């Protein structure tokens, strides 16, 4: 009962935000072009957030994703500087992401360090590596192959009419692809159900004979690779790489998962709910910019909305507890 | 809600019909608003924009260059009259393309040149380097050994070195005995000091070094520390820098070896940017892709200003 109430409060809140912008920006907000823009603007965050959903399903989280995204971008750029072909450079970045994720997994699952501490430490390690690899500089201009930066500027053409063509951006397609894969793995397979079981009760999962350590370790591979993909998307979008450019993704990704959790029946993290959370944050940035709300006020508002949404959700859970 | 909407719609219609009478809307987008230089640009821009009666929206993405692209897309969707950016245009090409497709002019405020930027307003690096290089040449009477600190990997600083090379090359009795590229990973002062100490050790005789020309202030400050630490401040080695940062101004005001630097007019860049946007909005076709705002030589006479 409270679950349904909480969920509907979340949905009402999201619809209210959409309605508000639709009314305030009647000519521009609900246009296909604007939504294609938004889809591209949130694509990097979406990739990090849906992979974050995997570890949050187990009740863990990964603080190192932002610096991993930065590291992935500068690793690819360094490979470009060495004259590597684009696929090899991208492959190297993804391998770095995988290794970083597995390393997090080893620290948490095998060594037994709390996720907060382990990934806070690797956040610093990855960030330091990003500075080492890049020498603290921004790699840009001719050093970045144009085929790489063109990727983020193109997509599937949707119209051939007058004016600037409408395209479904490549970055959006990548984000959708990643979301689909994570959705299948997390919500349609035994593996995924076992991760949720871990999040529900680790001890019970262990007693039921689940390979708890292996499961936990493997989940961190998703955040590592997801962060690496997002870092490459970001580098392609800005046609450059510097050792801090992905850092902002971590907090917003975790916030998106929390926002999404206010929408699910049992308050657990789900892939499509996370995407809805990402979308809310993207829509706020887009709409408030168009309404010319001051950038700093915008930040305060976004934080406040996260507090209200997650706060309502917590109150819902609290009253459920009192009743039981 | 409906009433709000119809009022808004009619306001848009009125604005559309009255055409030129409506306030022009300009968005200023930068990831670097918290940096002092950028703040001065924006202050200068806003002051001039207010006189022009514009509606200015300043968007700061707090260091996130990718978000600059997103915000350019958003203000293009909104339909602003012009966009001003203060970020490397090569990094926000995707957003510039969106603006170009929509026919909205983008002007750079010390942003760098790009085919999609109508015009960039900045300081003239060539001229700044010429100011200090001729200061050095004249001050040492056109003869003596000069040490140069340059940084060719960074294009805006590279051009400064080229000009100084040309000017010193034009004096037959000036010899550039060292052209040093300091390691800048720690800010540039410490390594410049170490490198200068080596040069001083290699040229122990008083008067063996007449001047140090640095392409920016940090190496000049490092060289000053090395000269003072070596007890050779009384030899009258002339040091010049460029940018006139506060630390350099203090050193110049002290009246020691560090004698001159060049100050950029950040507010002036902001004002000229606004004036240039006004010219574009008035339909003028600009011939120049770069507009330079004059800089000022800073010596002990005006360092405290």
């Amino acid at each position: 009962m409270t679950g349904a109430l909480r969920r509907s409060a979340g949905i009402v809140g999201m619809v209210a935000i959409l309605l508000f912008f639709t009314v305030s920006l009647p000519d521009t907000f609900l246009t296909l072009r604007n939504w294609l823009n938004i889809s591209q603007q949130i694509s990097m965050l979406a990739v990090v957030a849906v992979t974050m959903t995997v570890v949050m399903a187990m009740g863990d989280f990964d603080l190192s994703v932002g610096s991993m995204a930065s590291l992935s971008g500068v690793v690819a750029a360094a490979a470009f500087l060495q004259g590597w072909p684009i696929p090899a450079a991208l492959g190297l970045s993804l391998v770095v992401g995988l290794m970083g994720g597995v390393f997090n997994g080893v620290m948490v699952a095998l060594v037994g360090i709390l996720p907060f501490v382990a990934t806070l430490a690797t956040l610093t390690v990855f960030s330091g590596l990003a500075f080492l690899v890049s020498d603290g500089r921004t790699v840009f201009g001719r050093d970045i192959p144009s085929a790489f930066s063109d990727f983020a500027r193109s997509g599937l053409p949707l119209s051939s009419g007058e004016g600037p063509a409408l395209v479904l951006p490549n970055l959006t397609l990548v984000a959708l692809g990643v979301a689909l894969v994570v959705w299948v793995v997390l919500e349609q397979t035994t593996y995924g159900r076992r991760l949720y079981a871990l999040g529900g009760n680790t001890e019970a999962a262990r007693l039921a004979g689940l390979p708890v350590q292996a499961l936990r370790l493997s989940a961190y591979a998703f955040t590592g690779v997801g962060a690496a993909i997002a870092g490459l998307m970001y580098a392609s979008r800005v046609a450059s790489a510097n050792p801090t450019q992905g850092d902002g993704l971590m907090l917003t990704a975790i916030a998106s998962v929390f926002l999404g959790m206010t929408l699910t029946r049992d308050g657990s993290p789900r892939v499509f709910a996370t995407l809805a959370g990402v979308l809310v944050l993207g829509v706020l940035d887009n709409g408030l910019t168009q309404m010319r709300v001051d950038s700093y006020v915008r930040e305060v508002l976004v934080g406040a909305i996260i507090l209200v949404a997650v706060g309502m959700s917590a109150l819902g859970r609290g009253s459920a507890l009192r009743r039981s | 809600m409906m009433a709000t909407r119809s009022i808004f719609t009619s306001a848009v219609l009125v604005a559309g019909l009255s055409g030129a009478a409506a306030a022009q809307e300009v968005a200023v987008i930068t990831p670097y608003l918290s940096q002092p230089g950028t703040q001065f640009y924006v202050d200068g821009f806003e002051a001039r924009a207010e006189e022009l009666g514009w509606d200015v929206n300043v968007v700061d993405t707090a260091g996130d260059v990718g978000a600059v692209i997103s915000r350019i897309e958003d203000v293009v969707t909104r339909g602003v009259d012009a966009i001003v950016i203060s970020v490397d245009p090569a990094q926000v090409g995707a957003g510039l393309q969106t603006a170009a497709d929509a026919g909205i002019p983008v002007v750079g405020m010390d942003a760098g040149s790009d085919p999609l930027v109508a015009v960039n307003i900045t300081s003239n690096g060539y001229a700044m380097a010429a100011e200090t290089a001729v200061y050095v040449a004249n001050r040492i009477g056109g003869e003596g050994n000069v040490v140069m600190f340059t940084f060719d990997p960074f294009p805006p600083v590279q051009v400064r070195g080229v000009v100084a090379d040309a000017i010193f090359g034009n004096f037959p009795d000036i010899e550039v005995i060292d052209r040093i590229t300091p390691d800048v990973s720690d800010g540039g002062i410490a390594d410049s000091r170490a490198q200068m100490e080596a040069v001083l050790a290699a040229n122990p005789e008083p008067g063996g070094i007449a001047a140090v020309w640095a392409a920016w202030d940090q190496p000049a400050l490092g060289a000053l520390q090395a000269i003072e630490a070596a007890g050779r401040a009384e030899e009258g080695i002339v040091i010049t820098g460029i940018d006139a940062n506060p630390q350099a101004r203090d050193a110049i005001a002290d009246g020691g070896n560090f004698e001159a630097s060049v100050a950029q007019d950040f507010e002036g860049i902001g004002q000229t940017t606004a004036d240039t946007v006004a010219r574009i909005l008035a339909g003028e076709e600009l011939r120049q892709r770069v507009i330079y705002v004059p800089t000022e030589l800073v010596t002990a006479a005006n360092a405290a200003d």
Side-chain angles (χ1 to χ4, degrees), chain A residues 45 54 56 58 63 74 94 104 148 157 162 165-166 199 204 210 227 232 256 259 275 286 298:
Chain A
L45 176 61
V54 179
M56 288 181 72
M58 307 184 298
L63 298 181
V74 297
L94 296 180
N104 276 329
F148 176 70
E162 284 161 35
L166 284 171
L210 293 186
L232 292 172
S256 308
L259 273 180
L275 281 183
N286 170 274
R298 206 167 70 226

Side-chain angles (χ1 to χ4, degrees), chain B residues 93-292:
Chain B
L96 299 181
Q97 190 61 54
T98 308
D101 290 344
I104 296 173
V106 178
V107 172
M109 190 152 64
D110 197 19
S113 295
D114 188 280
L116 294 175
V117 172
V119 56
N120 182 38
I121 289 82
T122 184
S123 305
N124 188 341
Y126 294 101
M128 288 193 286
E131 287 264 16
T132 53
V134 294
Y135 179 92
V136 165
N138 294 336
R139 190 61 185 73
I140 63 178
E143 62 179 311
N145 293 336
V146 174
V147 178
M148 290 174 68
F149 281 90
T150 54
F151 199 82
D152 290 346
F154 186 51
V157 176
Q158 183 264 344
V159 303
R160 300 177 179 178
V162 168
V163 167
D165 286 339
I167 287 173
F168 295 138
N170 200 38
F171 288 85
D173 297 325
I174 288 181
E175 191 190 351
V176 175
I177 55 167
D178 227 327
R179 199 173 189 281
I180 298 166
T181 302
D183 180 353
V184 294
S185 54
D186 61 351
I189 294 184
D191 188 61
S192 301
R193 174 178 174 161
Q195 303 248 24
M196 189 65 206
E197 280 165 352
V199 175
L200 288 166
N203 298 275
E205 71 289 357
I209 299 167
V212 176
W213 180 90
W216 72 109
D217 286 332
Q218 273 77 2
L221 290 162
L224 175 67
Q225 289 176 3
I227 289 167
E228 288 178 344
R232 295 177 65 173
E234 302 308 317
E235 285 178 30
I237 302 173
V238 176
I239 305 173
T240 64
I242 291 179
D243 294 334
N245 71 29
Q247 208 180 342
R249 279 179 185 268
D250 285 349
I252 294 168
D254 284 346
N257 298 71
F258 195 162
E259 295 191 6
S261 187
V262 181
Q264 301 189 48
D265 181 3
F266 294 117
E267 290 210 26
I269 289 175
Q271 281 171 16
T272 306
T273 304
D275 289 332
T276 309
V277 171
R279 287 165 65 189
I280 292 173
L281 290 178
E284 186 179 336
E285 289 278 334
L286 297 180
R287 287 188 166 176
Q288 293 161 278
R289 302 303 299 264
V290 182
I291 293 176
Y292 291 123

Side-chain angles (χ1 to χ4, degrees), chain A residues 129-147:
Chain A
L129 287 175
F131 274 97
L132 274 178
V133 169
S134 64
D135 221 0
R137 295 203 190 112
T138 301
V139 181
F140 65 103
R142 265 170 299 179
D143 296 330
I144 302 287
S146 57

Side-chain angles (χ1 to χ4, degrees), chain A residues 32-53:
Chain A
L32 182 56
R33 190 178 301 280
N34 193 43
W35 281 80
L36 289 172
N37 273 343
I38 294 175
S39 77
Q40 175 165 258
Q41 293 168 1
I42 63 176
S43 58
M44 295 144 272
L45 176 61
V47 168
V48 177
V50 296
T51 52
M52 183 70 81
T53 312

Side-chain angles (χ1 to χ4, degrees), chain A residues 41 234 240 286 290 295-296, chain B residues 60 64 66 73-74 78 91:
Chain A
Q41 293 168 1
Y234 193 112
S240 58
N286 170 274
Q290 287 190 55
S295 5
Y296 304 131
Chain B
D60 175 29
D64 188 342
E73 290 166 352
D74 294 344
R78 181 181 164 83
Q91 291 180 276

